[in-house]
Amino acid sequence: MQNKFLSNVWHPKSIIFAIVSLYLCDVTCQEKPFVTTPLGPLSGFYMKTREGRTIAAYTAIPYALPPVGDLRFKAPVPVDAWQGPLDATKESPKCVQRNPYTRQQEIVGQEDCLYLNIYTPVLDNDLAYESKLPVMVFIHGGGWMCGDSSTAMYGPQFLLDRDVILVVINYRLGPLGFLSTKDEHCPGNNGLKDQQEALRFIQKTIASFGGDKDSVTIFGESAGGASVHFHMLSKTSAGLFHKAISESGTALVPWAEAPPGEALRNAFRLAKFLDCPQAPSEKMLECLRTKDSYEIIDTEFRFYEWDYEPMTPFKAGVEPNLPGAFLTAPPRQPEVPAVPWLTGLNKDEGCLKSVWITSNKTKYEEFMSGFETIAPITFFYDNSPAADDITQTIRKYYMSGDENTAKKGILEIYSDSYFNYPALEAVELTLNYTQYPIYLYELQYRATNSFSQIFGDLEGDYGVCHADELMHLFPISFLNKPFSEEDIEFSKLLVTLWTNFATSGNPNEPQPVPFKWEPATSGEKMEYLEIKRNSRMSENLATRSRLWFSLPLWHNMRRRRYIDEL
Ligand SMILES: *[C@@H]1O[C@H](CO)[C@@H](O)[C@H](O)[C@H]1NC(C)=O
Ligand SMILES: *[C@@H]1O[C@H](CO)[C@@H](O)[C@H](O)[C@H]1NC(C)=O
């Protein structure tokens, strides 16, 4: 074990070796870190944290067989043990994708993409082998359509100033990860099953990196946050992790769970676009397996009805109850015990979508004049029999007034419908059965940079945008305005809160923080931490969004009907 070996250099028992070593080199004198796992040996490379600690990095580690050929549209198959050292210094290949949030036109990545990265701090004391380190596993966002584990985006330089191990994983995207035929031939959720397979790989190997397999925290943002919540609801993920952080995304967001009928309808459409038979499903899949992966991802544009809407045509869903199923009951009917959960929102989530609309005069006018047809599509209620009523209600609630009010309203509708109201529902649901605390937050700190820079406007200030917390946890390379001193201080605070939670299940310890973050006690109170310059506790998280509980959305109606039937 590499950490243990390096620590032993300084251990009294190894004193002679230590003296020799002192003459020859310091801790990082070896060119490459090396580790031997039960599956095989790996050689990585060294990096440095923000505060100068040495990191042993191992990237592009395969955790499953390449999901190509006959394995396309199948659940991941665990990787076999390997002989000889694996070169863990390359960049993990991205899964095949096109980024709709940056309006990317070309398709990138490769189908052989089931890799992960592991980063461990090189500790110059005995900590590494006296106590195993907590493990943090990050699941990236991107609407299950794009994103990747790259070091340039999700590097360890901030988090590893604390005593944790970071793992960042890839998983299949778009129809390659989320196609479902609702039967045994392709039950669905393959992207989530990939994440689960990565968690199994971590159970098998993380001790070799100095990690504690009994202290695994999964954390993710947006679709990654939704993924985290889905793992909390999955019988087959139970036991593979012990704590969870969902940033700006839960399993109840309208873009994550397919409403009844949608999965099969979109599978049929995909088959049609690619000249494949729609039935029987075996024949459909057989044909789809002959197509180029780029051709499959290229159909995404054809699912959009206005601009890039609706997003995420291929979602998660309940599967037939077969061996290995990821999800066998609706997310609103949890079947497994919860784990300690930290979850929250950014103040102006909706900027993910609104900036493209409100910063472009033509698009804004198109949106306003077509609101009756566009709103039901982009806000995911076109399947409601009362769609027109919903349109009138939200127009009145958010958009009564001049152009500035309307533009602010567009931001707020996206914030509330895509993120806020589903977060409240998810917290209320979880409070009803969890044995553990739930810590809630709203990020209110506006930094020098913001993701609005890539969501449609390089310069405008749209508040605290969707994904803005990421830059405090990871050195996101494309956000290139220089950080202020205050930004850096804030980032260190967020790193402390997140790594504290991963260490103890409580963001207030072991590292001291200048306030007390209290868990939420009830759906009526919704106590949460306002994270900002002088963070403080508050009540009634995202209360404006409660309007959406009263709207005739498909899942609200199903719940009401279900209650009526009792
Ligand atoms: C503004 O929106 C129009 C209509 O959707 C689009 O054709 C145009 O490319 C957009 N302009 C910019 C600068 O994005
Ligand atoms: C939680 O339980 C309360 C009281 O039994 C109930 O009224 C409420 O609907 C439940 N919330 C959810 C989201 O299931």
Side-chain angles (χ1 to χ4, degrees):
M1 191 184 86
Q2 173 264 334
N3 276 335
K4 185 166 176 173
F5 169 76
L6 290 172
S7 308
N8 272 338
V9 169
W10 305 107
H11 200 273
K13 284 180 205 148
S14 313
I15 195 73
I16 296 169
F17 180 60
I19 290 167
V20 174
S21 303
L22 266 177
Y23 278 97
L24 298 177
C25 56
D26 73 355
V27 165
T28 57
C29 69
Q30 293 159 299
E31 263 166 40
K32 285 182 168 187
F34 191 84
V35 70
T36 301
T37 76
L39 290 174
L42 300 140
S43 71
F45 60 101
Y46 287 113
M47 297 175 68
K48 288 274 184 205
T49 64
R50 174 161 56 190
E51 290 173 14
R53 221 181 214 188
T54 302
I55 300 165
Y58 305 88
T59 54
I61 307 170
Y63 66 84
L65 298 184
V68 301
D70 284 348
L71 293 184
R72 182 189 283 173
F73 303 126
K74 294 232 173 97
V77 180
V79 74
D80 297 320
W82 59 86
Q83 305 292 318
L86 186 100
D87 175 11
T89 64
K90 292 171 293 188
E91 183 84 75
S92 291
K94 285 179 208 295
C95 294
V96 184
Q97 60 181 275
R98 174 200 273 140
N99 187 333
Y101 307 103
T102 59
R103 300 299 193 250
Q104 184 176 31
Q105 293 300 309
E106 80 271 36
I107 296 171
V108 297
Q110 65 182 54
E111 210 176 356
D112 170 10
C113 66
L114 299 184
Y115 297 84
L116 52 75
N117 304 333
I118 300 179
Y119 307 99
T120 78
V122 176
L123 302 172
D124 57 4
N125 55 38
D126 290 346
L127 189 69
Y129 67 103
E130 275 174 8
S131 67
K132 299 229 168 230
L133 296 179
V135 181
M136 297 183 76
V137 183
F138 186 73
I139 305 175
H140 69 75
W144 291 333
M145 301 172 85
C146 64
D148 63 79
S149 63
S150 70
T151 306
M153 181 90 185
Y154 301 116
Q157 295 92 325
F158 299 172
L159 288 166
L160 265 68
D161 276 321
R162 299 293 184 197
D163 297 333
V164 295
I165 286 179
L166 174 67
V167 184
V168 187
I169 66 181
N170 272 353
Y171 55 92
R172 281 173 282 176
L173 301 166
L176 293 169
F178 291 87
L179 179 77
S180 170
T181 55
K182 290 285 170 187
D183 61 12
E184 70 274 24
H185 301 297
C186 184
N189 302 326
N190 280 331
L192 294 165
K193 289 172 184 168
D194 291 343
Q195 299 170 6
Q196 196 180 65
E197 194 52 51
L199 294 176
R200 286 195 197 99
F201 179 90
I202 291 164
Q203 286 296 307
K204 288 180 221 161
T205 59
I206 206 66
S208 311
F209 295 88
D212 181 355
K213 72 179 175 56
D214 298 318
S215 177
V216 175
T217 298
I218 52 174
F219 70 129
E221 182 266 344
S222 195
S227 302
V228 163
H229 189 201
F230 270 113
H231 288 290
M232 287 172 68
L233 299 165
S234 165
K235 280 183 187 164
T236 40
S237 291
L240 298 174
F241 66 97
H242 313 92
K243 297 164 211 118
I245 301 176
S246 297
E247 306 163 23
S248 308
T250 66
L252 305 190
V253 297
W255 42 267
E257 188 203 359
E262 185 189 276
L264 215 46
R265 197 164 57 242
N266 283 346
F268 290 161
R269 288 175 75 192
L270 181 75
K272 189 153 193 295
F273 292 150
L274 294 166
D275 296 318
C276 285
Q278 297 178 323
S281 53
E282 268 170 291
K283 291 281 174 231
M284 181 207 291
L285 293 161
E286 201 175 283
C287 173
L288 289 175
R289 285 193 181 101
T290 66
K291 305 291 173 181
D292 186 84
S293 62
Y294 276 37
E295 219 187 316
I296 293 173
I297 294 300
D298 197 32
T299 61
E300 274 172 353
F301 280 159
R302 303 179 67 177
F303 286 90
Y304 300 143
E305 294 176 49
W306 177 77
D307 198 38
Y308 285 65
E309 311 302 319
M311 78 174 213
T312 317
F314 292 89
K315 304 185 177 74
V318 176
E319 294 168 50
N321 199 349
L322 298 165
F326 177 83
L327 194 70
T328 50
R332 287 173 181 81
Q333 292 164 33
E335 295 184 316
V336 278
V339 295
W341 197 26
L342 190 158
T343 186
L345 298 159
N346 297 350
K347 190 168 71 57
D348 306 290
E349 299 280 7
C351 98
L352 166 74
K353 289 281 177 184
S354 71
V355 176
W356 284 109
I357 299 166
T358 58
S359 69
N360 176 332
K361 191 164 184 296
T362 319
K363 195 152 285 182
Y364 172 72
E365 281 165 5
E366 218 175 277
F367 183 85
M368 293 304 280
S369 62
F371 194 71
E372 268 70 25
T373 47
I374 295 168
I377 294 164
T378 188
F379 302 123
F380 299 100
Y381 60 82
D382 58 338
N383 58 357
S384 168
D388 288 343
D389 296 343
I390 299 176
T391 304
Q392 297 322 316
T393 307
I394 61 177
R395 192 200 274 279
K396 192 152 160 263
Y397 190 75
Y398 293 96
M399 299 168 88
S400 302
D402 61 6
E403 184 171 321
N404 282 337
T405 316
K407 286 186 171 171
K408 187 161 155 281
I410 296 172
L411 169 67
E412 291 176 350
I413 307 175
Y414 277 109
S415 298
D416 288 356
S417 71
Y418 275 45
F419 305 102
N420 297 352
Y421 134 80
L424 298 187
E425 193 188 358
V427 170
E428 286 182 9
L429 179 75
T430 312
L431 279 167
N432 275 2
Y433 71 98
T434 188
Q435 306 292 310
Y436 296 100
I438 304 179
Y439 294 95
L440 303 181
Y441 70 86
E442 183 174 85
L443 188 80
Q444 299 183 353
Y445 176 75
R446 164 72 205 199
T448 313
N449 284 288
S450 169
F451 270 69
S452 58
Q453 289 155 227
I454 62 160
F455 296 150
D457 184 355
L458 267 174
E459 292 309 325
D461 182 347
Y462 296 87
V464 187
C465 197
H466 188 59
D468 274 0
E469 86 288 1
L470 290 173
M471 73 178 104
H472 308 301
L473 300 170
F474 303 101
I476 312 276
S477 59
F478 59 77
L479 294 176
N480 44 22
K481 296 183 188 167
F483 279 37
S484 69
E485 283 301 311
E486 200 169 35
D487 291 347
I488 295 167
E489 280 315 301
F490 188 81
S491 161
K492 289 180 180 174
L493 173 70
L494 222 65
V495 164
T496 299
L497 293 170
W498 261 232
T499 54
N500 270 356
F501 180 80
T503 305
S504 67
N506 179 346
N508 302 290
E509 58 187 50
Q511 295 292 328
V513 289
F515 46 78
K516 178 94 198 295
W517 189 344
E518 304 281 359
T521 59
S522 71
E524 287 76 49
K525 288 226 176 87
M526 282 287 169
E527 299 94 329
Y528 68 101
L529 184 70
E530 296 180 351
I531 315 187
K532 54 186 179 183
R533 278 184 192 87
N534 293 300
S535 304
R536 62 177 188 100
M537 288 303 300
S538 185
E539 287 185 6
N540 294 314
L541 176 67
T543 197
R544 182 191 65 217
S545 71
R546 287 194 176 272
L547 169 76
W548 291 76
F549 280 102
S550 66
L551 300 178
L553 307 168
W554 70 270
H555 45 85
N556 285 347
M557 292 173 77
R558 190 163 69 180
R559 193 173 52 210
R560 252 175 252 149
R561 195 158 58 234
Y562 174 73
I563 291 166
D564 287 349
E565 280 163 9
L566 288 178

